[in-house]
Amino acid sequence: MALNMTFRQLKVFESAARHLSYTRAAEELHLSQPGVSMQIKQLEDVVGLPLFEQIGKKMHLTAAGREIYAYSKSIGHMLDEVEVVLDELKGVQSGQLSISVATTASHFTTRLLAAFSESYKDITISLDITNRASLREQLEANRPDLVIMGQPPEGVEVDAEAFMDNPLVMIASPGHPLASEEKLALKHFADEQFVVREKGSGTRSAIERFFVEHAVNFNTGIEMTSNEAIKQAVEAGLGLGIVSIHTLELELETKRLQILDVIDFPIQRHWYVMQRKGKRLSPAAQAFKKFILEQAKEFI
Ligand code: PGA
């Protein structure tokens, strides 16, 4: 007896099973929530068993759900590979390229992509901008072709290559009392308020690690998920900030913000481009990776 399940049902189910949430699957796949539950209901009818169960407030996979989840992941990866193989046959000039980058890397990635697509006009590019925690999840699920972030994530096997320095600098508004001082010791900042990125951001964890390593207290004042908002808050005098120098170009040029001269600063980080270990890169992804490694510095 053949099971009449469709790829679409498996794709929707895989997303709902990974997130253990119909709502998050609907967001990820740009569907309505009733659309997601209908696909899963149909799949359950075909299978003849429930795939999810609700215990208390939490969704769980049933035994059948766990089996179908394992197969739906393998089928999904096989379909991705079919796409790569077909792209190889068509050559590098066309195809799809899906890139996910850390919020901070978006400041230069858009410029890189613009330069790249000058040479490869028929490659369709999708760019997801998100924070480090979510990039880790995406790598684990082997979804994007390539990821750009500061430092490869822990606990996921990746092939990563560093392509550029990423210094984190301390910023203040030009009118700040410390703005004119030289060689400030880190302990000066133990009582200062900082406007910081959210937990889960690479910048945030690098800053916290740095202050712990130097045994200096670090006060997180207001948290923000965007570097743009942090810069505006620092400019308005809400506190000091620590951001990647790659977010600052315009503010330094127009003298709206100033880099403070702090001993042991900047915090040294690097940008990496990576993919899940063992991933078969499409010709478009290979071309973009080569472009980054060879030419990124010229566009930043
Ligand atoms: P973030 O990432 O935008 O999540 O802070 C940058 C980084 O990893 O350094």
PDB file of all heavy atoms in Angstrom, residues 166-179:
ATOM      1  N   ASN A 166      37.351  42.046  13.104  1.00  0.00           N
ATOM      2  CA  ASN A 166      36.101  42.680  13.530  1.00  0.00           C
ATOM      3  C   ASN A 166      36.313  43.312  14.901  1.00  0.00           C
ATOM      4  O   ASN A 166      35.906  42.776  15.923  1.00  0.00           O
ATOM      5  CB  ASN A 166      34.993  41.611  13.580  1.00  0.00           C
ATOM      6  CG  ASN A 166      33.701  42.157  14.163  1.00  0.00           C
ATOM      7  OD1 ASN A 166      33.444  43.353  14.125  1.00  0.00           O
ATOM      8  ND2 ASN A 166      32.883  41.260  14.718  1.00  0.00           N
ATOM      9  N   PRO A 167      37.011  44.474  14.950  1.00  0.00           N
ATOM     10  CA  PRO A 167      37.274  45.087  16.259  1.00  0.00           C
ATOM     11  C   PRO A 167      36.027  45.711  16.868  1.00  0.00           C
ATOM     12  O   PRO A 167      35.279  46.397  16.175  1.00  0.00           O
ATOM     13  CB  PRO A 167      38.302  46.180  15.928  1.00  0.00           C
ATOM     14  CG  PRO A 167      38.551  46.118  14.465  1.00  0.00           C
ATOM     15  CD  PRO A 167      37.528  45.250  13.827  1.00  0.00           C
ATOM     16  N   LEU A 168      35.805  45.446  18.155  1.00  0.00           N
ATOM     17  CA  LEU A 168      34.691  46.092  18.870  1.00  0.00           C
ATOM     18  C   LEU A 168      35.257  47.284  19.632  1.00  0.00           C
ATOM     19  O   LEU A 168      36.203  47.127  20.413  1.00  0.00           O
ATOM     20  CB  LEU A 168      34.035  45.121  19.856  1.00  0.00           C
ATOM     21  CG  LEU A 168      33.554  43.765  19.336  1.00  0.00           C
ATOM     22  CD1 LEU A 168      32.818  43.007  20.442  1.00  0.00           C
ATOM     23  CD2 LEU A 168      32.650  43.924  18.129  1.00  0.00           C
ATOM     24  N   VAL A 169      34.670  48.453  19.417  1.00  0.00           N
ATOM     25  CA  VAL A 169      35.203  49.665  20.050  1.00  0.00           C
ATOM     26  C   VAL A 169      34.183  50.264  21.012  1.00  0.00           C
ATOM     27  O   VAL A 169      32.982  50.005  20.905  1.00  0.00           O
ATOM     28  CB  VAL A 169      35.569  50.723  18.970  1.00  0.00           C
ATOM     29  CG1 VAL A 169      36.738  50.252  18.133  1.00  0.00           C
ATOM     30  CG2 VAL A 169      34.373  51.043  18.086  1.00  0.00           C
ATOM     31  N   MET A 170      34.707  51.061  21.954  1.00  0.00           N
ATOM     32  CA  MET A 170      33.790  51.720  22.899  1.00  0.00           C
ATOM     33  C   MET A 170      33.449  53.110  22.354  1.00  0.00           C
ATOM     34  O   MET A 170      34.344  53.847  21.948  1.00  0.00           O
ATOM     35  CB  MET A 170      34.448  51.835  24.278  1.00  0.00           C
ATOM     36  CG  MET A 170      33.399  52.067  25.367  1.00  0.00           C
ATOM     37  SD  MET A 170      34.097  52.323  26.999  1.00  0.00           S
ATOM     38  CE  MET A 170      34.779  50.755  27.414  1.00  0.00           C
ATOM     39  N   ILE A 171      32.150  53.425  22.359  1.00  0.00           N
ATOM     40  CA  ILE A 171      31.736  54.710  21.790  1.00  0.00           C
ATOM     41  C   ILE A 171      31.000  55.580  22.808  1.00  0.00           C
ATOM     42  O   ILE A 171      30.359  55.079  23.737  1.00  0.00           O
ATOM     43  CB  ILE A 171      30.821  54.522  20.543  1.00  0.00           C
ATOM     44  CG1 ILE A 171      29.673  53.552  20.849  1.00  0.00           C
ATOM     45  CG2 ILE A 171      31.618  54.083  19.347  1.00  0.00           C
ATOM     46  CD1 ILE A 171      28.605  53.489  19.761  1.00  0.00           C
ATOM     47  N   ALA A 172      31.108  56.893  22.595  1.00  0.00           N
ATOM     48  CA  ALA A 172      30.407  57.863  23.442  1.00  0.00           C
ATOM     49  C   ALA A 172      29.979  59.029  22.554  1.00  0.00           C
ATOM     50  O   ALA A 172      30.462  59.170  21.425  1.00  0.00           O
ATOM     51  CB  ALA A 172      31.350  58.364  24.534  1.00  0.00           C
ATOM     52  N   SER A 173      29.084  59.843  23.078  1.00  0.00           N
ATOM     53  CA  SER A 173      28.757  61.063  22.327  1.00  0.00           C
ATOM     54  C   SER A 173      29.949  62.014  22.490  1.00  0.00           C
ATOM     55  O   SER A 173      30.637  61.981  23.516  1.00  0.00           O
ATOM     56  CB  SER A 173      27.486  61.703  22.866  1.00  0.00           C
ATOM     57  OG  SER A 173      27.719  62.142  24.176  1.00  0.00           O
ATOM     58  N   PRO A 174      30.225  62.870  21.500  1.00  0.00           N
ATOM     59  CA  PRO A 174      31.416  63.730  21.582  1.00  0.00           C
ATOM     60  C   PRO A 174      31.413  64.626  22.824  1.00  0.00           C
ATOM     61  O   PRO A 174      32.466  65.027  23.310  1.00  0.00           O
ATOM     62  CB  PRO A 174      31.341  64.557  20.298  1.00  0.00           C
ATOM     63  CG  PRO A 174      30.510  63.744  19.377  1.00  0.00           C
ATOM     64  CD  PRO A 174      29.528  62.995  20.226  1.00  0.00           C
ATOM     65  N   GLY A 175      30.235  64.913  23.385  1.00  0.00           N
ATOM     66  CA  GLY A 175      30.181  65.783  24.568  1.00  0.00           C
ATOM     67  C   GLY A 175      30.438  65.040  25.872  1.00  0.00           C
ATOM     68  O   GLY A 175      30.449  65.639  26.953  1.00  0.00           O
ATOM     69  N   HIS A 176      30.613  63.732  25.843  1.00  0.00           N
ATOM     70  CA  HIS A 176      30.784  62.933  27.075  1.00  0.00           C
ATOM     71  C   HIS A 176      32.080  63.336  27.790  1.00  0.00           C
ATOM     72  O   HIS A 176      33.105  63.572  27.136  1.00  0.00           O
ATOM     73  CB  HIS A 176      30.825  61.449  26.698  1.00  0.00           C
ATOM     74  CG  HIS A 176      30.681  60.534  27.868  1.00  0.00           C
ATOM     75  ND1 HIS A 176      31.719  60.245  28.716  1.00  0.00           N
ATOM     76  CD2 HIS A 176      29.604  59.852  28.341  1.00  0.00           C
ATOM     77  CE1 HIS A 176      31.303  59.414  29.663  1.00  0.00           C
ATOM     78  NE2 HIS A 176      30.014  59.161  29.447  1.00  0.00           N
ATOM     79  N   PRO A 177      32.050  63.409  29.150  1.00  0.00           N
ATOM     80  CA  PRO A 177      33.247  63.850  29.887  1.00  0.00           C
ATOM     81  C   PRO A 177      34.496  63.014  29.582  1.00  0.00           C
ATOM     82  O   PRO A 177      35.621  63.524  29.684  1.00  0.00           O
ATOM     83  CB  PRO A 177      32.854  63.690  31.357  1.00  0.00           C
ATOM     84  CG  PRO A 177      31.381  63.507  31.379  1.00  0.00           C
ATOM     85  CD  PRO A 177      30.896  63.188  30.013  1.00  0.00           C
ATOM     86  N   LEU A 178      34.333  61.728  29.219  1.00  0.00           N
ATOM     87  CA  LEU A 178      35.520  60.906  28.964  1.00  0.00           C
ATOM     88  C   LEU A 178      36.023  61.012  27.521  1.00  0.00           C
ATOM     89  O   LEU A 178      37.078  60.492  27.187  1.00  0.00           O
ATOM     90  CB  LEU A 178      35.212  59.430  29.276  1.00  0.00           C
ATOM     91  CG  LEU A 178      34.887  59.102  30.734  1.00  0.00           C
ATOM     92  CD1 LEU A 178      34.528  57.628  30.884  1.00  0.00           C
ATOM     93  CD2 LEU A 178      36.072  59.439  31.640  1.00  0.00           C
ATOM     94  N   ALA A 179      35.248  61.729  26.690  1.00  0.00           N
ATOM     95  CA  ALA A 179      35.558  61.733  25.249  1.00  0.00           C
ATOM     96  C   ALA A 179      36.925  62.339  24.940  1.00  0.00           C
ATOM     97  O   ALA A 179      37.564  61.964  23.968  1.00  0.00           O
ATOM     98  CB  ALA A 179      34.458  62.462  24.482  1.00  0.00           C
TER      99      ALA A 179
END
